[in-house]
Amino acid sequence: MEEIPIYLFTGFMDSGKTSLVKETLFENGFADGSKSLIICCEDGETEYDAEALAAKNVRLVMVEKEEDLTTEFLQSVNLEYLPDQIFLEYNGTWKLDTILETPLPKGWIIVQELATVDATTFELYLNNMRTMIMEQLFHADVVIFNRCDDSTDKGKFRRNVKALNRKAQLVYERADGSLDEREEELPFDISGDELEITDADYAIWYMDCLENPKRYEGKKVHFLALVYNPERLKKGVFVPGRFAMTCCVEDVTFIGFKCKYAKEEEIPHRSWIDITAEVRVEFAKEYKGKGPVLYPVSVVLAEAPEDELVYFS
């Protein structure tokens, strides 16, 4: 049996899901005469034009309640419409696990998940419904921030998404549909040869250094770090880093860089150090390719900070 691709669209109501589905179908050439099916799980401000859909051989099915989105329902839809491809516009208030864990009809497979975000309300939702909104972005292949303007903090948006979903491709669109191609600003100066990385900036620097290691090659960085250096770690290597909170307390994770140091046995595991190191871009199996490797210039034992966590916002 041939696979029937499902394109899953997530995001809160009025974040632009319907507009993106219509753009995908009609402007990006997906409605090429094959039998397409839209399964829509919420009514937003933007509606589908029944005549326009019919002209492109697209059928529309509405799902009113989360509990109605069952395997039996999807199987009945499959038998009735025999679709070649499916566009599933998911309800932003429903648990994503409902669709991800529901057994799908034979041949149905989710091939891409696209999440839409209203840039004007993203920070408000992060502050008040962080877990709910980040759940929608966690599995997304593409995250589209729409309604951006010159005040949109693209760097902050990227950090919040990438902290949980490293693979996601991020797209920024302005209200007129054009791409927002402004450079993302960092909260610290990288123009010099030496960087002072504060606790407030550590997680931001970590993410940018992983994504853009060449930007820091040859520079010296200074920061306060917790040492990961268990006995099982390879000799001459330790990992200076910090515990970072991504979404909530349950998501606290250690983030650090590979560090090559001949005197690593002198640095106790879970001790705090004040470290200055040169960044070099090298192949490392930990990165599955080239990435930032630190070479210490100075390592001094230090006291633990008042707040041992760092944050991505």
Side-chain angles (χ1 to χ4, degrees), residues 130-145:
R130 187 180 185 90
T131 300
M132 181 180 291
I133 192 170
M134 294 309 291
E135 180 191 28
Q136 299 179 41
L137 307 181
F138 183 73
H139 296 284
D141 301 295
V142 181
V143 178
I144 301 171
F145 287 97

Side-chain angles (χ1 to χ4, degrees), residues 77 149 182 237 307:
V77 166
D149 57 31
R182 291 175 299 126
V237 173
D307 185 356

Side-chain angles (χ1 to χ4, degrees), residues 58-77:
V58 181
R59 299 296 186 90
L60 173 65
V61 173
M62 299 296 299
V63 182
E64 302 292 339
K65 301 177 182 178
E66 185 174 1
E67 55 266 29
D68 292 339
L69 195 63
T70 64
T71 300
E72 292 72 24
F73 168 77
L74 296 175
Q75 287 174 337
S76 68
V77 166

